[in-house]
Amino acid sequence: MRTFTFVLVVFMAIAFSNLQAENPKDFTVPSALDDNMFQLSENRGKTVILHFLLKTECPYCLRYTHE
């Protein structure tokens, strides 16, 4: 019961700390396709989707990522 309570408390702390997180004002990352840089502030008003994929062996995921 103590373990469950501890896990629940940690989960709730993480969940509530994320509720108060602010969106980043600006950031810059290198392009995965060429030598360009992506800057968030230059894309204001557009939909920006970030896809973080560390590693996968799934053939469906690999095909999706390459497409």
Side-chain angles (χ1 to χ4, degrees), residues 50-58 60-66:
L50 301 177
H51 178 85
F52 295 97
L53 183 64
L54 300 177
K55 182 182 177 193
T56 183
E57 302 296 326
C58 170
Y60 299 105
C61 297
L62 287 172
R63 184 175 55 217
Y64 172 78
T65 303
H66 289 289

Side-chain angles (χ1 to χ4, degrees), residues 2 6 10-11 16 19 23-25 27-29 32 39 43-45 47 55 62-63 66:
R2 283 185 173 175
F6 176 75
V10 170
F11 175 78
F16 286 115
L19 291 176
N23 290 332
K25 305 277 187 238
F27 63 85
T28 304
V29 294
Q39 188 167 3
N43 294 278
R44 185 172 302 275
T47 301
K55 182 182 177 193
L62 287 172
R63 184 175 55 217
H66 289 289

Side-chain angles (χ1 to χ4, degrees), residues 10-35:
V10 170
F11 175 78
M12 295 299 283
I14 292 170
F16 286 115
S17 69
N18 288 336
L19 291 176
Q20 297 178 4
E22 293 183 22
N23 290 332
K25 305 277 187 238
D26 197 16
F27 63 85
T28 304
V29 294
S31 170
L33 303 175
D34 53 30
D35 292 333

Side-chain angles (χ1 to χ4, degrees), residues 1-14:
M1 183 68 175
R2 283 185 173 175
T3 303
F4 174 77
T5 304
F6 176 75
V7 171
L8 182 61
V9 168
V10 170
F11 175 78
M12 295 299 283
I14 292 170

